Every structure is written in structure tokens, then in C-alpha cells.
Amino acid sequence: MPELSSHVRDAAPNQIREITQAAWAQPDSIVLSIGEPGFPTPPHILEAAQATLGRDETGYTPNAGIAPLRAAFADRISRQTGTEVSPGRAFVTSGAQQGLHLAMSMLLDAGDEILIPNPGYPTFAMTARLLHAEPVEYPLYPEHDFQPRIEDIEALITEKTRVLLLNSPSNPLGAVFSAGLVRDLVELARRRDLWIISDECYEAFTYDVPHVSPLAYDAGPGGERVIVSVTLSKTYGLTGLRIGALITPAGLEAPMSIAMEAIVSCVASPSQYAALAALTGPQDYVSAAAAHYRTNRDAASAVLDAKSIPYLKAQGAFYLWADLSHASDGNVRAWTQKFLAEQGVAVAPGTAFGSIGEGWIRIALCGDAVELVTGLGRLPARDSG
């Protein structure tokens, strides 16, 4: 048969999926490698989706989504950021990943560069390459608590750089940007005339620190430049409904609708009405999930402390980033596969998220607390001497 395109042929496998699928195929494995919330979906959300089918509302919706849902997304973001966001700036997407693809499609030409974090979520680079753009990694170093530094980012900017991608709270790190850092990053983008794509999948889950969106600092000389990607997959555990939104600067309504038509046309109507119920109905799920993740974070941290395993204290999301370099012998990907085979526990190798992740693992905190503690109890202790 004819060859596939080079950017598909050359795509590297997703190491998170690699280890997780191996765990699913191994009976009685403890799976701590994937961020899948484990709570039942609230009944009012299920009922909203079922009611949509019951009244046979299964036709096309507007490209940008149904009006009440766009208004609900805009209201949530306005309350979070203290910045007025009109419903016309909210575009309903088929999950955050489709939202990231849509945003990059709008901003990047072939050969353009997008700055992405290392360590960072693997689809940031994958999506850019599928659009024939070039991902350029800015470093997040352990000695700086995996926080970006303005000077490191600015040193990478070239005449081809178009976009700075930010992710706070971070997957895989659990790190959260301070208000001062967010302000400085927006000022950098303004000074160097860059767009910002802000991946805020975990905005609902921070611990003792606030979530600060770049939208809060987006007004100023040179016009607005921030596009925010949000999802209900993590906030309400709706991973399979594939529902999220992009919040864009004003004035992009026409080109966004054209791009939506070409990429997804519109999101499934039952998912949209379920999302509307989630955003406007009781919020018990979110508060209970946040409390569960915090408890699991503390329990996991206690296990790692007892084993003298270094880790980054998670301030957000539902992951713990731990240093297993004492055991992984310079190849953490191979070590996680061996650990699964011998101990029946799957954790994500840090190299799934970039070269700086070598020696580190990502631990998902969103599942059962007993399984979490049991699985981490099988990690090899570090010699504290």
C-alpha cells in the first residue's frame, strides 16, 4: 500500500498508554499510571444526557456549541479569573485534546515553533508535529522545583516562534504557577508577540494555593493573546463524554467556527447537555473529589517519605512526581516495565513526558486509597545513608 505521511510514521509511542495497556493485560495489576477519576458520575449529569436522547435531540448543533453551555463555560471562567468573559468567546470542544488541536490549528503554520514544557504532557509535541509545526521544549528543572524560568524560555525564542504553551496545574508534575510567575509569562508573550495556549485541565484541583489563569493578565498593549483549554473530563470525571471548551480572545468567532466545521463539525448533543448539568448543577462531586485527591496525596507522600524517595510536593492536579533514579539505572521506561512484571504495579515513566523526566515516575492519585498505598509500598526504598 502507499506510505503514510512521515509525521505519522515517525510518531513515537505514548509511554503512558504502553505501560497502562500492559497492566490491563496482567491480571490483578495495580494501575497507578493513568489519570482516570474513579467516582460514579452524579445522577443529574447522567439524567441530562439521557433526557437529550429521550427527546430525540440528536441533530447538529451550532459549530461552537449550544448557547446555554457556552454561557455556562464563560460564567465559570469569569468567576475564576475575575475577568469578564462573554459567551461568544467560549467554543465547545470534544475534550481538551481536540481543543488543543483546534487551538494549534488556528495559530501554527507549517514550520512554526511552539514552546512546550519538558517535562510536559506528551500530546503537546504530538499535536504540533501532526500540524507540521515544530515543538521546542523549555526546561523545567528539579533544582527550580520544576517551575519555568523566564530566561530559559526567552533564550529559545526565534523568528519562527509563534506560541508559548503553559500548563498549570501541571500534568505530570502537580506543580502550580504563582500569580507573579503567570503575570511574568504573559508579559514575556506580549513583549515577544507570542500567543499563549494555557492548558487548564486541572483548574479545579489545587491544594493550599490558588489556580491563576493567564486570562487574568491578558488585557494590555498589543491586544489579547491567551487561549485557554478546559475540560470536564477531570473536573467531573466525564472522560468518556469528551467535552471541554476553548476560551478565546474576542473577535475570533468566524475563523473558529470554520475550523470547528473542518475538524469536528460539532460536539455530540448528549455530551453538551450533560456538561451543562455538570456546570450549573450541584458541585458536590468536585469538592468530594478534591478532598479524596488531597487525602491520597498525603497518604502517598507518607509512603515515599518512609522509603526516603524524593518527590515534588503536589500543589495541584492528582499526580505525584517521584525520583526513582536510585533504582532505574538510567532507563526508567525499562524499569517501569520490569516493576510491573515483577511487582504487579504500573506507574508512568518520567520519560513519557520528556528527557528531564529520566529517573522519575508519575503516580496517579485518583484511584482507590488502599490500592495506592499497597502499590507504592512495593517501590524499592532509597538508601538514606
Side-chain angles (χ1 to χ4, degrees), residues 63 91 106 251-260:
N63 294 130
F91 294 82
M106 295 288 296
L252 297 186
E253 292 84 356
M256 284 289 293
S257 291
I258 292 170
M260 286 284 289

Side-chain angles (χ1 to χ4, degrees), residues 69-356:
L69 180 55
R70 298 181 73 191
F73 272 118
D75 179 65
R76 180 179 180 86
I77 299 299
S78 296
R79 285 186 281 108
Q80 282 182 339
T81 63
T83 302
E84 185 62 32
V85 174
S86 66
R89 295 170 57 186
F91 294 82
V92 180
T93 62
S94 185
Q97 183 53 49
Q98 190 261 316
L100 290 172
H101 182 267
L102 175 60
M104 291 190 200
S105 298
M106 295 288 296
L107 306 181
L108 294 168
D109 286 323
D112 284 345
E113 294 175 351
I114 175 172
L115 297 166
I116 64 170
N118 174 11
Y121 194 63
T123 64
F124 296 158
M126 293 167 68
T127 304
R129 292 192 179 104
L130 283 174
L131 295 167
H132 302 279
E134 185 63 31
V136 176
E137 298 174 343
Y138 59 87
L140 307 177
Y141 292 122
E143 57 265 33
H144 301 300
D145 293 327
F146 293 98
Q147 295 284 325
R149 298 194 305 170
I150 300 299
E151 58 266 38
D152 291 335
I153 295 174
E154 190 151 25
L156 297 170
I157 296 173
T158 73
E159 61 182 14
K160 294 182 179 181
T161 310
R162 294 289 306 280
V163 178
L164 171 60
L165 191 148
L166 305 175
N167 178 213
S168 175
S170 165
N171 177 8
L173 303 169
V176 175
F177 297 169
S178 69
L181 176 57
V182 172
R183 182 192 61 241
D184 291 346
L185 289 164
V186 174
E187 289 180 356
L188 170 65
R190 185 173 293 120
R191 185 171 71 250
R192 301 303 297 265
D193 197 26
L194 304 179
W195 291 96
I196 289 177
I197 297 176
S198 182
D199 176 359
E200 301 181 22
C201 285
Y202 297 91
E203 44 81 22
F205 305 120
T206 62
Y207 314 107
D208 305 317
V209 295
H211 165 64
V212 181
S213 171
L215 275 180
Y217 300 101
D218 198 27
E224 297 170 339
R225 61 188 63 245
V226 175
I227 295 179
V228 170
S229 175
V230 294
T231 179
L232 304 192
S233 291
K234 311 300 184 183
T235 309
Y236 298 94
L238 305 182
T239 52
L241 290 187
R242 311 309 307 137
I243 192 79
L246 285 182
I247 309 300
T248 71
L252 297 186
E253 292 84 356
M256 284 289 293
S257 291
I258 292 170
M260 286 284 289
E261 177 68 25
I263 293 175
V264 73
S265 184
C266 59
V267 176
S269 52
S271 293
Q272 292 195 58
Y273 281 100
L276 179 61
L279 287 169
T280 60
Q283 299 298 300
D284 307 44
Y285 178 100
V286 182
S287 56
H292 177 75
Y293 302 151
R294 179 193 286 267
T295 299
N296 275 9
R297 179 202 65 171
D298 294 344
S301 298
V303 175
L304 298 182
D305 286 337
K307 290 177 171 289
S308 299
I309 296 174
Y311 59 93
L312 180 69
K313 184 175 180 180
Q315 294 184 309
F318 45 62
Y319 304 107
L320 204 57
W321 185 246
D323 183 358
L324 265 292
S325 58
H326 64 281
S328 57
D329 195 28
N331 189 343
V332 74
R333 182 182 185 184
W335 179 84
T336 59
Q337 294 166 350
K338 181 181 179 184
F339 185 58
L340 171 63
E342 295 180 353
Q343 299 294 333
V345 181
V347 292
T351 48
F353 309 97
S355 58
I356 296 176

